[in-house]
Amino acid sequence: MNRNGVGPSMSQKIFSMNLGVEAVSLYLLCCAVADTGASITRTTLQDKWNGSQSGLEGELHRLEEKNILCREAPGSEEAPVYRMVDEKRWR
């Protein structure tokens, strides 16, 4: 994981969690966004996401359920910013 801006954020554990292709793809996209130093938001993800808006929302929800992503400001439903969770805390 990307700690203090050093090293890539991707964890190989994602491939052994029995998630669907779309969820893994979104995770990899989130890692790429994080590795550039940009905030992980719906807007930054939409620009690169090849699926539908509803697909993006569903996969964001799935990654949150698995505690792979979490919202930095939980009350901000309009434009949440997500952060990557340490793999040790994934479900």
Side-chain angles (χ1 to χ4, degrees):
M1 302 228 59
N2 189 350
R3 290 177 186 82
N4 300 323
V6 178
S9 59
M10 192 192 86
S11 168
Q12 294 291 320
K13 182 177 178 179
I14 195 72
F15 299 110
S16 64
M17 294 189 63
N18 296 322
L19 294 170
V21 171
E22 293 84 4
V24 173
S25 295
L26 181 56
Y27 169 76
L28 296 173
L29 181 57
C30 289
C31 291
V33 169
D35 288 346
T36 67
S39 295
I40 301 171
T41 65
R42 287 184 182 124
T43 303
T44 58
L45 296 171
Q46 282 174 330
D47 292 342
K48 295 161 184 62
W49 181 250
N50 290 329
S52 67
Q53 175 67 28
S54 64
L56 174 62
E57 294 296 328
E59 298 309 325
L60 279 169
H61 182 71
R62 186 171 336 281
L63 293 180
E64 283 186 275
E65 284 179 330
K66 295 290 187 179
N67 204 37
I68 295 169
L69 285 181
C70 72
R71 296 176 191 211
E72 285 192 352
S76 176
E77 187 62 36
E78 294 282 323
V81 175
Y82 297 91
R83 69 173 175 81
M84 309 293 289
V85 176
D86 188 288
E87 70 179 45
K88 293 176 183 127
R89 296 179 51 209
W90 293 3
R91 290 176 250 192

